[in-house]
Amino acid sequence: MYAGTNLGSLGGTSGGSSSSASGGVRRTLGSLSSGISASLLYGTSAEEKVVLDIGSYTLRAGFSGDSSPLHTTELFGKFTIVGPTKRLAGRSRGLFDNRIGSDEVLEALLLEQVREVYRRHLLIDSKSRKVAVVEGALLPVQVKRALARVLMGNLRVPQVTFYPSSVVALMTCGAMAGLVVDCGHRSTTVMPVYDCRPLTTYMVSTPMGGNTLFKNLRELLLRFGRFRPFGANEAGSIAVDDDVLGDEIVHLLKTKLLYASPVGIPQSFGRPPTELGVGLVGDDLVGWFESSMTASSEFTRMTVDSSKHGRGVLEFPSWIRERAAEVLFAGDATQDHQGIVESLARCIERAPVDTRRALVSKILVVGGVADMPNLRVRLLHDLVSRLRQNPKWSALADIAALAEERNGSESHSSSVNSSKSNISKGRSAGSEPSPSAANGTAFASSNRCWIGASLAAAAKIGGTDIKAEDFDGVNLPDWTIQ
């Protein structure tokens, strides 16, 4: 039985005619500020689909044809773990939280989360709209089935369409081929797309993602940070501990203060003796970080509350802000996890020879981590340097470019030359694309997959359609079991 609140019929069938302005359910005026769509003023259409992008840590929801999600939230952030037979204390964070131990609990959490989106943000009856779902390359089929059961079983959605995230992300740049680098919370996936087809056989994945960045930032702050309670002098500062450094503080620093340095680590700091890992930075490398720091202040300070030490000032070296992301580029030597640059190079090497030029010339970086300033151009710059080390790949290095910062009239090397010019002038690389290179730069990298699915659904581009009457709770197509 449908578990959500019935907000009224919009008129017409789920695949039929549009509802009238007087009979349609109006969206809230708050969505006007998001620049969503003009249909707010005239009612909604029955052809309009609900678009859901469910990642490992974040949920984005909205309507097809809109230019940005109507609602973005932390996945399961405000719901306790509830199941039909048990209720566990505490909150679950993310799709793959260790406390989610069964399909039963996962479905209960998904039902609470998606029903909340319909009730408080979309403001429509779930039975009146088809749903388009962005499917990540590594989305487990168990999660996919659980989501389908929630949508078509509990919420009575008439039809669900799955779109591959890599293909729809490239649509935001008007491209049919390219390398899509999805920097998510749990991992980073490099997916080659050619002729609007994801080449899953040549996909490369690494555990370097937002969670690794979170852990690395936390370890660096514990090692190099100091905490001084209000009223204490400089000598009264103490080492940072877990009580001072809560998860909320680390998450705030990760999302608001971090940026990628435009200058990579010199070859002289190779491995060994200097190795990079979560919280692992050699003393010689720390000295180089301090000397090459681009921040205007040597130290960064912020006021925090501690239950044990009271209110005070958290102080840490500013080089942590721009060098915490180095572990993403270089990888974790302690766990033998390759970095994003090496994953890109491996994907290019594994791809068919006749597709490499088309793939390298359009590199698209998406995901929540991709919103970090300078990350995209720094990744391109390091990839070009990596390719030039081997004469076999030097021709590909000359044409490497970011997909969203080029168009057909540009030369192949314009993006690389632009990034080199920015770095040599000491300003933020990628912050000032040339006027002729504006091809989709208005979209946030974290929203590209959702926006691409919104475009595909509005343009009626086919995906994998599953109708409610044909779904038995299990029969979902999945490329990993075909």
PDB file of all heavy atoms in Angstrom, residues 139-169:
ATOM      1  N   LEU A 139      26.994   1.005  -8.750  1.00  0.00           N
ATOM      2  CA  LEU A 139      25.841   0.858  -7.877  1.00  0.00           C
ATOM      3  C   LEU A 139      25.503  -0.628  -7.741  1.00  0.00           C
ATOM      4  O   LEU A 139      25.206  -1.291  -8.740  1.00  0.00           O
ATOM      5  CB  LEU A 139      24.640   1.618  -8.440  1.00  0.00           C
ATOM      6  CG  LEU A 139      23.358   1.568  -7.607  1.00  0.00           C
ATOM      7  CD1 LEU A 139      23.538   2.351  -6.317  1.00  0.00           C
ATOM      8  CD2 LEU A 139      22.173   2.109  -8.401  1.00  0.00           C
ATOM      9  N   PRO A 140      25.549  -1.185  -6.541  1.00  0.00           N
ATOM     10  CA  PRO A 140      25.247  -2.613  -6.377  1.00  0.00           C
ATOM     11  C   PRO A 140      23.820  -2.928  -6.815  1.00  0.00           C
ATOM     12  O   PRO A 140      22.898  -2.137  -6.609  1.00  0.00           O
ATOM     13  CB  PRO A 140      25.429  -2.849  -4.870  1.00  0.00           C
ATOM     14  CG  PRO A 140      26.307  -1.727  -4.411  1.00  0.00           C
ATOM     15  CD  PRO A 140      25.949  -0.561  -5.273  1.00  0.00           C
ATOM     16  N   VAL A 141      23.648  -4.090  -7.430  1.00  0.00           N
ATOM     17  CA  VAL A 141      22.323  -4.465  -7.915  1.00  0.00           C
ATOM     18  C   VAL A 141      21.351  -4.636  -6.751  1.00  0.00           C
ATOM     19  O   VAL A 141      20.142  -4.420  -6.906  1.00  0.00           O
ATOM     20  CB  VAL A 141      22.405  -5.752  -8.768  1.00  0.00           C
ATOM     21  CG1 VAL A 141      22.810  -6.945  -7.911  1.00  0.00           C
ATOM     22  CG2 VAL A 141      21.096  -6.020  -9.480  1.00  0.00           C
ATOM     23  N   GLN A 142      21.843  -4.974  -5.550  1.00  0.00           N
ATOM     24  CA  GLN A 142      20.957  -5.089  -4.392  1.00  0.00           C
ATOM     25  C   GLN A 142      20.346  -3.739  -4.028  1.00  0.00           C
ATOM     26  O   GLN A 142      19.159  -3.649  -3.689  1.00  0.00           O
ATOM     27  CB  GLN A 142      21.721  -5.650  -3.191  1.00  0.00           C
ATOM     28  CG  GLN A 142      22.159  -7.093  -3.331  1.00  0.00           C
ATOM     29  CD  GLN A 142      23.462  -7.232  -4.111  1.00  0.00           C
ATOM     30  OE1 GLN A 142      24.023  -6.239  -4.568  1.00  0.00           O
ATOM     31  NE2 GLN A 142      23.935  -8.469  -4.234  1.00  0.00           N
ATOM     32  N   VAL A 143      21.154  -2.678  -4.112  1.00  0.00           N
ATOM     33  CA  VAL A 143      20.642  -1.337  -3.833  1.00  0.00           C
ATOM     34  C   VAL A 143      19.660  -0.908  -4.918  1.00  0.00           C
ATOM     35  O   VAL A 143      18.621  -0.294  -4.646  1.00  0.00           O
ATOM     36  CB  VAL A 143      21.807  -0.341  -3.725  1.00  0.00           C
ATOM     37  CG1 VAL A 143      21.293   1.078  -3.527  1.00  0.00           C
ATOM     38  CG2 VAL A 143      22.730  -0.725  -2.581  1.00  0.00           C
ATOM     39  N   LYS A 144      19.985  -1.242  -6.153  1.00  0.00           N
ATOM     40  CA  LYS A 144      19.115  -0.900  -7.274  1.00  0.00           C
ATOM     41  C   LYS A 144      17.749  -1.568  -7.126  1.00  0.00           C
ATOM     42  O   LYS A 144      16.703  -0.955  -7.359  1.00  0.00           O
ATOM     43  CB  LYS A 144      19.793  -1.334  -8.570  1.00  0.00           C
ATOM     44  CG  LYS A 144      19.112  -0.890  -9.845  1.00  0.00           C
ATOM     45  CD  LYS A 144      19.946  -1.307 -11.050  1.00  0.00           C
ATOM     46  CE  LYS A 144      19.255  -0.963 -12.355  1.00  0.00           C
ATOM     47  NZ  LYS A 144      20.069  -1.394 -13.530  1.00  0.00           N
ATOM     48  N   ARG A 145      17.751  -2.839  -6.724  1.00  0.00           N
ATOM     49  CA  ARG A 145      16.486  -3.544  -6.516  1.00  0.00           C
ATOM     50  C   ARG A 145      15.712  -2.964  -5.336  1.00  0.00           C
ATOM     51  O   ARG A 145      14.478  -2.827  -5.396  1.00  0.00           O
ATOM     52  CB  ARG A 145      16.759  -5.027  -6.289  1.00  0.00           C
ATOM     53  CG  ARG A 145      17.195  -5.779  -7.544  1.00  0.00           C
ATOM     54  CD  ARG A 145      17.680  -7.162  -7.203  1.00  0.00           C
ATOM     55  NE  ARG A 145      18.068  -7.905  -8.389  1.00  0.00           N
ATOM     56  CZ  ARG A 145      18.795  -9.025  -8.375  1.00  0.00           C
ATOM     57  NH1 ARG A 145      19.218  -9.516  -7.209  1.00  0.00           N
ATOM     58  NH2 ARG A 145      19.093  -9.644  -9.495  1.00  0.00           N
ATOM     59  N   ALA A 146      16.419  -2.629  -4.256  1.00  0.00           N
ATOM     60  CA  ALA A 146      15.752  -2.049  -3.094  1.00  0.00           C
ATOM     61  C   ALA A 146      15.086  -0.729  -3.456  1.00  0.00           C
ATOM     62  O   ALA A 146      13.943  -0.455  -3.037  1.00  0.00           O
ATOM     63  CB  ALA A 146      16.753  -1.865  -1.960  1.00  0.00           C
ATOM     64  N   LEU A 147      15.769   0.108  -4.223  1.00  0.00           N
ATOM     65  CA  LEU A 147      15.190   1.380  -4.638  1.00  0.00           C
ATOM     66  C   LEU A 147      13.983   1.167  -5.537  1.00  0.00           C
ATOM     67  O   LEU A 147      12.963   1.860  -5.406  1.00  0.00           O
ATOM     68  CB  LEU A 147      16.247   2.223  -5.359  1.00  0.00           C
ATOM     69  CG  LEU A 147      15.804   3.578  -5.893  1.00  0.00           C
ATOM     70  CD1 LEU A 147      15.304   4.467  -4.757  1.00  0.00           C
ATOM     71  CD2 LEU A 147      16.936   4.268  -6.647  1.00  0.00           C
ATOM     72  N   ALA A 148      14.074   0.199  -6.456  1.00  0.00           N
ATOM     73  CA  ALA A 148      12.933  -0.086  -7.346  1.00  0.00           C
ATOM     74  C   ALA A 148      11.741  -0.599  -6.558  1.00  0.00           C
ATOM     75  O   ALA A 148      10.584  -0.243  -6.851  1.00  0.00           O
ATOM     76  CB  ALA A 148      13.359  -1.094  -8.411  1.00  0.00           C
ATOM     77  N   ARG A 149      11.982  -1.438  -5.550  1.00  0.00           N
ATOM     78  CA  ARG A 149      10.875  -1.936  -4.727  1.00  0.00           C
ATOM     79  C   ARG A 149      10.212  -0.811  -3.938  1.00  0.00           C
ATOM     80  O   ARG A 149       8.987  -0.787  -3.770  1.00  0.00           O
ATOM     81  CB  ARG A 149      11.370  -3.036  -3.781  1.00  0.00           C
ATOM     82  CG  ARG A 149      11.658  -4.360  -4.470  1.00  0.00           C
ATOM     83  CD  ARG A 149      11.845  -5.472  -3.454  1.00  0.00           C
ATOM     84  NE  ARG A 149      13.085  -5.332  -2.699  1.00  0.00           N
ATOM     85  CZ  ARG A 149      14.230  -5.923  -3.025  1.00  0.00           C
ATOM     86  NH1 ARG A 149      14.303  -6.678  -4.122  1.00  0.00           N
ATOM     87  NH2 ARG A 149      15.299  -5.768  -2.277  1.00  0.00           N
ATOM     88  N   VAL A 150      11.017   0.139  -3.445  1.00  0.00           N
ATOM     89  CA  VAL A 150      10.464   1.276  -2.717  1.00  0.00           C
ATOM     90  C   VAL A 150       9.621   2.145  -3.640  1.00  0.00           C
ATOM     91  O   VAL A 150       8.496   2.548  -3.293  1.00  0.00           O
ATOM     92  CB  VAL A 150      11.597   2.097  -2.069  1.00  0.00           C
ATOM     93  CG1 VAL A 150      11.086   3.455  -1.611  1.00  0.00           C
ATOM     94  CG2 VAL A 150      12.202   1.343  -0.903  1.00  0.00           C
ATOM     95  N   LEU A 151      10.135   2.443  -4.842  1.00  0.00           N
ATOM     96  CA  LEU A 151       9.436   3.342  -5.755  1.00  0.00           C
ATOM     97  C   LEU A 151       8.175   2.706  -6.325  1.00  0.00           C
ATOM     98  O   LEU A 151       7.087   3.298  -6.291  1.00  0.00           O
ATOM     99  CB  LEU A 151      10.379   3.761  -6.890  1.00  0.00           C
ATOM    100  CG  LEU A 151      11.536   4.690  -6.507  1.00  0.00           C
ATOM    101  CD1 LEU A 151      12.477   4.887  -7.686  1.00  0.00           C
ATOM    102  CD2 LEU A 151      11.012   6.038  -6.027  1.00  0.00           C
ATOM    103  N   MET A 152       8.300   1.491  -6.860  1.00  0.00           N
ATOM    104  CA  MET A 152       7.152   0.872  -7.535  1.00  0.00           C
ATOM    105  C   MET A 152       6.284   0.035  -6.602  1.00  0.00           C
ATOM    106  O   MET A 152       5.104  -0.168  -6.882  1.00  0.00           O
ATOM    107  CB  MET A 152       7.643   0.012  -8.703  1.00  0.00           C
ATOM    108  CG  MET A 152       8.205   0.850  -9.844  1.00  0.00           C
ATOM    109  SD  MET A 152       8.725  -0.099 -11.284  1.00  0.00           S
ATOM    110  CE  MET A 152      10.299  -0.737 -10.712  1.00  0.00           C
ATOM    111  N   GLY A 153       6.851  -0.449  -5.493  1.00  0.00           N
ATOM    112  CA  GLY A 153       6.067  -1.241  -4.563  1.00  0.00           C
ATOM    113  C   GLY A 153       5.389  -0.414  -3.506  1.00  0.00           C
ATOM    114  O   GLY A 153       4.169  -0.505  -3.303  1.00  0.00           O
ATOM    115  N   ASN A 154       6.139   0.439  -2.814  1.00  0.00           N
ATOM    116  CA  ASN A 154       5.581   1.244  -1.717  1.00  0.00           C
ATOM    117  C   ASN A 154       4.937   2.537  -2.196  1.00  0.00           C
ATOM    118  O   ASN A 154       3.846   2.899  -1.753  1.00  0.00           O
ATOM    119  CB  ASN A 154       6.661   1.573  -0.690  1.00  0.00           C
ATOM    120  CG  ASN A 154       7.228   0.333  -0.015  1.00  0.00           C
ATOM    121  OD1 ASN A 154       8.196  -0.251  -0.490  1.00  0.00           O
ATOM    122  ND2 ASN A 154       6.624  -0.094   1.091  1.00  0.00           N
ATOM    123  N   LEU A 155       5.646   3.263  -3.078  1.00  0.00           N
ATOM    124  CA  LEU A 155       5.154   4.574  -3.508  1.00  0.00           C
ATOM    125  C   LEU A 155       4.328   4.525  -4.784  1.00  0.00           C
ATOM    126  O   LEU A 155       3.834   5.560  -5.234  1.00  0.00           O
ATOM    127  CB  LEU A 155       6.344   5.528  -3.695  1.00  0.00           C
ATOM    128  CG  LEU A 155       7.215   5.750  -2.453  1.00  0.00           C
ATOM    129  CD1 LEU A 155       8.332   6.741  -2.749  1.00  0.00           C
ATOM    130  CD2 LEU A 155       6.378   6.235  -1.284  1.00  0.00           C
ATOM    131  N   ARG A 156       4.184   3.359  -5.386  1.00  0.00           N
ATOM    132  CA  ARG A 156       3.321   3.152  -6.548  1.00  0.00           C
ATOM    133  C   ARG A 156       3.679   4.031  -7.739  1.00  0.00           C
ATOM    134  O   ARG A 156       2.805   4.565  -8.438  1.00  0.00           O
ATOM    135  CB  ARG A 156       1.836   3.369  -6.172  1.00  0.00           C
ATOM    136  CG  ARG A 156       1.336   2.466  -5.053  1.00  0.00           C
ATOM    137  CD  ARG A 156       1.412   1.012  -5.437  1.00  0.00           C
ATOM    138  NE  ARG A 156       0.880   0.144  -4.384  1.00  0.00           N
ATOM    139  CZ  ARG A 156       0.923  -1.184  -4.424  1.00  0.00           C
ATOM    140  NH1 ARG A 156       1.475  -1.770  -5.471  1.00  0.00           N
ATOM    141  NH2 ARG A 156       0.421  -1.896  -3.440  1.00  0.00           N
ATOM    142  N   VAL A 157       4.969   4.216  -7.965  1.00  0.00           N
ATOM    143  CA  VAL A 157       5.417   4.958  -9.147  1.00  0.00           C
ATOM    144  C   VAL A 157       5.120   4.112 -10.378  1.00  0.00           C
ATOM    145  O   VAL A 157       5.405   2.903 -10.397  1.00  0.00           O
ATOM    146  CB  VAL A 157       6.925   5.258  -9.050  1.00  0.00           C
ATOM    147  CG1 VAL A 157       7.466   5.787 -10.362  1.00  0.00           C
ATOM    148  CG2 VAL A 157       7.185   6.240  -7.920  1.00  0.00           C
ATOM    149  N   PRO A 158       4.518   4.684 -11.448  1.00  0.00           N
ATOM    150  CA  PRO A 158       4.119   3.863 -12.604  1.00  0.00           C
ATOM    151  C   PRO A 158       5.280   3.293 -13.401  1.00  0.00           C
ATOM    152  O   PRO A 158       5.172   2.217 -13.977  1.00  0.00           O
ATOM    153  CB  PRO A 158       3.284   4.817 -13.454  1.00  0.00           C
ATOM    154  CG  PRO A 158       3.718   6.185 -13.032  1.00  0.00           C
ATOM    155  CD  PRO A 158       4.078   6.083 -11.594  1.00  0.00           C
ATOM    156  N   GLN A 159       6.413   4.017 -13.441  1.00  0.00           N
ATOM    157  CA  GLN A 159       7.540   3.545 -14.262  1.00  0.00           C
ATOM    158  C   GLN A 159       8.828   4.172 -13.764  1.00  0.00           C
ATOM    159  O   GLN A 159       8.845   5.340 -13.353  1.00  0.00           O
ATOM    160  CB  GLN A 159       7.322   3.904 -15.734  1.00  0.00           C
ATOM    161  CG  GLN A 159       8.463   3.501 -16.656  1.00  0.00           C
ATOM    162  CD  GLN A 159       8.178   3.839 -18.108  1.00  0.00           C
ATOM    163  OE1 GLN A 159       7.207   3.368 -18.684  1.00  0.00           O
ATOM    164  NE2 GLN A 159       9.013   4.672 -18.699  1.00  0.00           N
ATOM    165  N   VAL A 160       9.891   3.406 -13.791  1.00  0.00           N
ATOM    166  CA  VAL A 160      11.215   3.886 -13.404  1.00  0.00           C
ATOM    167  C   VAL A 160      12.156   3.687 -14.578  1.00  0.00           C
ATOM    168  O   VAL A 160      12.203   2.597 -15.179  1.00  0.00           O
ATOM    169  CB  VAL A 160      11.749   3.141 -12.161  1.00  0.00           C
ATOM    170  CG1 VAL A 160      13.171   3.604 -11.837  1.00  0.00           C
ATOM    171  CG2 VAL A 160      10.831   3.367 -10.968  1.00  0.00           C
ATOM    172  N   THR A 161      12.922   4.724 -14.909  1.00  0.00           N
ATOM    173  CA  THR A 161      13.906   4.669 -15.988  1.00  0.00           C
ATOM    174  C   THR A 161      15.287   4.898 -15.413  1.00  0.00           C
ATOM    175  O   THR A 161      15.507   5.879 -14.697  1.00  0.00           O
ATOM    176  CB  THR A 161      13.613   5.735 -17.059  1.00  0.00           C
ATOM    177  OG1 THR A 161      12.278   5.551 -17.558  1.00  0.00           O
ATOM    178  CG2 THR A 161      14.599   5.627 -18.213  1.00  0.00           C
ATOM    179  N   PHE A 162      16.200   4.000 -15.715  1.00  0.00           N
ATOM    180  CA  PHE A 162      17.573   4.114 -15.227  1.00  0.00           C
ATOM    181  C   PHE A 162      18.465   4.668 -16.335  1.00  0.00           C
ATOM    182  O   PHE A 162      18.455   4.170 -17.469  1.00  0.00           O
ATOM    183  CB  PHE A 162      18.097   2.750 -14.772  1.00  0.00           C
ATOM    184  CG  PHE A 162      17.456   2.238 -13.517  1.00  0.00           C
ATOM    185  CD1 PHE A 162      16.356   1.390 -13.571  1.00  0.00           C
ATOM    186  CD2 PHE A 162      17.941   2.616 -12.272  1.00  0.00           C
ATOM    187  CE1 PHE A 162      15.757   0.927 -12.420  1.00  0.00           C
ATOM    188  CE2 PHE A 162      17.340   2.157 -11.112  1.00  0.00           C
ATOM    189  CZ  PHE A 162      16.244   1.304 -11.184  1.00  0.00           C
ATOM    190  N   TYR A 163      19.235   5.704 -15.986  1.00  0.00           N
ATOM    191  CA  TYR A 163      20.189   6.310 -16.916  1.00  0.00           C
ATOM    192  C   TYR A 163      21.609   6.135 -16.385  1.00  0.00           C
ATOM    193  O   TYR A 163      21.861   6.417 -15.203  1.00  0.00           O
ATOM    194  CB  TYR A 163      19.916   7.807 -17.087  1.00  0.00           C
ATOM    195  CG  TYR A 163      18.667   8.146 -17.850  1.00  0.00           C
ATOM    196  CD1 TYR A 163      17.511   8.556 -17.193  1.00  0.00           C
ATOM    197  CD2 TYR A 163      18.638   8.072 -19.238  1.00  0.00           C
ATOM    198  CE1 TYR A 163      16.366   8.873 -17.884  1.00  0.00           C
ATOM    199  CE2 TYR A 163      17.485   8.391 -19.949  1.00  0.00           C
ATOM    200  CZ  TYR A 163      16.355   8.786 -19.264  1.00  0.00           C
ATOM    201  OH  TYR A 163      15.212   9.101 -19.963  1.00  0.00           O
ATOM    202  N   PRO A 164      22.555   5.679 -17.208  1.00  0.00           N
ATOM    203  CA  PRO A 164      23.955   5.584 -16.746  1.00  0.00           C
ATOM    204  C   PRO A 164      24.529   6.966 -16.479  1.00  0.00           C
ATOM    205  O   PRO A 164      24.422   7.869 -17.316  1.00  0.00           O
ATOM    206  CB  PRO A 164      24.667   4.880 -17.906  1.00  0.00           C
ATOM    207  CG  PRO A 164      23.790   5.100 -19.100  1.00  0.00           C
ATOM    208  CD  PRO A 164      22.378   5.196 -18.593  1.00  0.00           C
ATOM    209  N   SER A 165      25.116   7.145 -15.317  1.00  0.00           N
ATOM    210  CA  SER A 165      25.571   8.473 -14.896  1.00  0.00           C
ATOM    211  C   SER A 165      26.637   9.038 -15.821  1.00  0.00           C
ATOM    212  O   SER A 165      26.657  10.249 -16.074  1.00  0.00           O
ATOM    213  CB  SER A 165      26.107   8.397 -13.463  1.00  0.00           C
ATOM    214  OG  SER A 165      27.192   7.479 -13.378  1.00  0.00           O
ATOM    215  N   SER A 166      27.525   8.210 -16.326  1.00  0.00           N
ATOM    216  CA  SER A 166      28.613   8.715 -17.168  1.00  0.00           C
ATOM    217  C   SER A 166      28.096   9.276 -18.486  1.00  0.00           C
ATOM    218  O   SER A 166      28.576  10.316 -18.960  1.00  0.00           O
ATOM    219  CB  SER A 166      29.620   7.593 -17.436  1.00  0.00           C
ATOM    220  OG  SER A 166      28.975   6.458 -18.002  1.00  0.00           O
ATOM    221  N   VAL A 167      27.106   8.620 -19.085  1.00  0.00           N
ATOM    222  CA  VAL A 167      26.578   9.073 -20.380  1.00  0.00           C
ATOM    223  C   VAL A 167      25.823  10.381 -20.224  1.00  0.00           C
ATOM    224  O   VAL A 167      26.028  11.331 -20.991  1.00  0.00           O
ATOM    225  CB  VAL A 167      25.680   7.982 -20.998  1.00  0.00           C
ATOM    226  CG1 VAL A 167      25.045   8.491 -22.292  1.00  0.00           C
ATOM    227  CG2 VAL A 167      26.481   6.715 -21.276  1.00  0.00           C
ATOM    228  N   VAL A 168      24.939  10.464 -19.220  1.00  0.00           N
ATOM    229  CA  VAL A 168      24.140  11.680 -19.065  1.00  0.00           C
ATOM    230  C   VAL A 168      25.009  12.848 -18.600  1.00  0.00           C
ATOM    231  O   VAL A 168      24.702  14.014 -18.908  1.00  0.00           O
ATOM    232  CB  VAL A 168      22.970  11.450 -18.093  1.00  0.00           C
ATOM    233  CG1 VAL A 168      22.001  10.439 -18.680  1.00  0.00           C
ATOM    234  CG2 VAL A 168      23.456  11.000 -16.728  1.00  0.00           C
ATOM    235  N   ALA A 169      26.099  12.576 -17.881  1.00  0.00           N
ATOM    236  CA  ALA A 169      26.992  13.667 -17.480  1.00  0.00           C
ATOM    237  C   ALA A 169      27.627  14.316 -18.694  1.00  0.00           C
ATOM    238  O   ALA A 169      27.756  15.547 -18.762  1.00  0.00           O
ATOM    239  CB  ALA A 169      28.062  13.144 -16.525  1.00  0.00           C
TER     240      ALA A 169
END
